[in-house]
DNA sequence: ATCCCTTTGTGAACCGACGCACAAAGTCGC
DNA sequence: GCGACTTTGTGCGTCGGTTCACAAAGGGAT
């Protein structure tokens, strides 16, 4: 016998966590369009996944659907937001204000989802002092002070590759345990620190691999099978 | 007989393909530092993976190591490059020249790996005609013509969300079968088309989830590991 | 109130990926 | 030339994730 308010299972599979933001976005779109209830089938279609998978994912958060009806859009938005920790606001610092850092600072998708850019930092004196997305770019020397003073808990690394590890070390020393890394290097951090990596060129290389396959690559001419 | 050229297995696991670029980067770094040979242990450490996994990954391309010695760095670079299709040069078009598109256009990691930005396209007349990263921004009306004329085979979508599906449809009609999508929407495409998605805000949300856990989220008791 | 229809939540089979651990293969020193 | 040592390549147990398929649960119609 499970109490309906059974707090969600503490062990949510990583694969599920990675899809929750997808569901959340789809649900937000539906809420805006005034849709009150949605079936797993429809929501799965909107998120581009299999409906059984979606139901299993949601079941990890608790039993929030109604059989024969579906899920209440607004309630589900709230539950997923809470699970992802988006009901609080997260102070994010972006280190490295080159082209990419600038793009990130201006990217609306962050702010709209519980994230607040609390600082922009760079080492280049040419850039320090600039105003970008309504924020003043501060010098990297201020890193630790800024992190402490503004309660930064997530850092985005958009520095050149050579600087990434050093900045990372300082950030970790300052107590940050969540890092989003855009620099094309493998960061070494303590186990307690979470690093997610986004590498634009890797994605392209994976595409190239498949494209080569489809095209029947130059060297794979006659010998297949 | 240099040719144990067991034509590499055609069925390379997706997970392996996703790691090959990682190995390639590590190997390139070693080559630059003049390292001629590397063991699976060392290369695995540099790429941040388990050495058994690395050996199994490489074994899918063929038997390119020497027992008791390791792998020849330069030869392995060549083999992986060839497998990924990086020995040819790929013409890439970037559609959407906002902050992100600009950052991508200026990102050096592409060019250095067999990718050539062949076109920048945008719908905004304010932007069309600008020179960015040495390229002239062209109007989106030219999309099909540019794709055909310059042999573009990979398209990067960096448009606003609302425009993405429409541009995607046109791109697919023009014969492109590989798309890297930065717009926060689920694109609908034929099965024959490959779409990879990069979503910056999703990565942050995943970090927030783990951060909340670590911090002992609002409803969370004492059981964090 | 009862029956039928819809949709959830999940048991269970399946599939791919991971990593251990070891035999095979090759090098190097003597 | 030979034996000890190093390192690859892989068989195999395990695990997490995906999917199918269905019983249970609820709503609505009559």
């Amino acid at each position: 016998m499970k109490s309906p308010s059974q707090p969600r299972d503490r062990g949510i599979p990583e694969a599920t966590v990675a899809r929750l933001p997808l569901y959340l976005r789809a649900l937000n779109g539906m809420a805006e369009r005034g849709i009150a209830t949605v079936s797993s089938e429809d929501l799965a279609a909107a998120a581009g996944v299999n409906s059984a998978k979606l139901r299993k994912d949601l079941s990890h958060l608790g039993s929030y659907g109604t059989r024969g009806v579906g899920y209440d859009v607004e309630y589900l938005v709230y539950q997923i937001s809470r699970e992802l920790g988006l009901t609080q606001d997260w102070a994010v610092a972006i280190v490295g204000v080159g082209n990419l850092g600038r793009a990130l600072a201006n990217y609306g998708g962050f702010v709209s989802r519980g994230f607040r850019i609390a600082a922009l930092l760079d080492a280049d004196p040419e850039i320090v002092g600039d105003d970008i997305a309504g924020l003043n770019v501060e010098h990297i020397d201020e890193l630790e002070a800024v992190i402490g003073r503004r309660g930064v808990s997530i850092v985005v690394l958009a520095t050149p590759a050579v600087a990434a590890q050093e900045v990372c070390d300082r950030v970790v020393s300052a107590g940050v345990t969540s890092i989003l890394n855009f620099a094309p290097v493998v960061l070494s951090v303590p186990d307690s620190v979470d690093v997610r990596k986004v590498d634009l060129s890797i994605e392209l290389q994976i595409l190239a691999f498949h494209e080569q396959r489809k095209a029947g690559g130059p060297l794979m001419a006659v010998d297949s099978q």
Side-chain angles (χ1 to χ4, degrees), chain A residues 54-76:
Chain A
L54 177 129
R55 286 197 299 274
K56 190 157 284 187
D57 283 343
L58 294 185
S59 76
H60 285 117
L61 320 190
S63 204
Y64 296 140
T66 304
R67 294 171 191 235
V69 176
Y71 300 87
D72 182 276
V73 172
E74 213 166 315
Y75 187 55
L76 202 49

Side-chain angles (χ1 to χ4, degrees), chain A residues 90 143-148 151-155 167-179 190 192-194:
Chain A
W90 297 95
L143 183 62
E144 288 80 3
V146 162
I147 288 174
V152 168
S153 47
I154 299 177
V155 167
V167 172
C168 173
D169 290 344
R170 290 177 58 188
V171 159
V172 170
S173 297
V176 170
T177 57
S178 293
I179 297 173
S192 58
V193 176
D194 234 313

Side-chain angles (χ1 to χ4, degrees), chain A residues 89-134:
Chain A
D89 121 324
W90 297 95
V92 177
I94 297 177
V95 184
V97 192
N99 285 298
L100 182 57
R102 234 173 292 244
L104 295 172
N106 283 298
Y107 181 52
F110 292 166
V111 183
S112 65
R113 270 169 246 276
F115 299 100
R116 182 172 44 83
I117 312 254
L120 302 176
L121 299 139
D122 203 292
D124 185 346
E126 288 287 312
I127 297 176
V128 172
D130 285 6
D131 274 339
I132 293 174

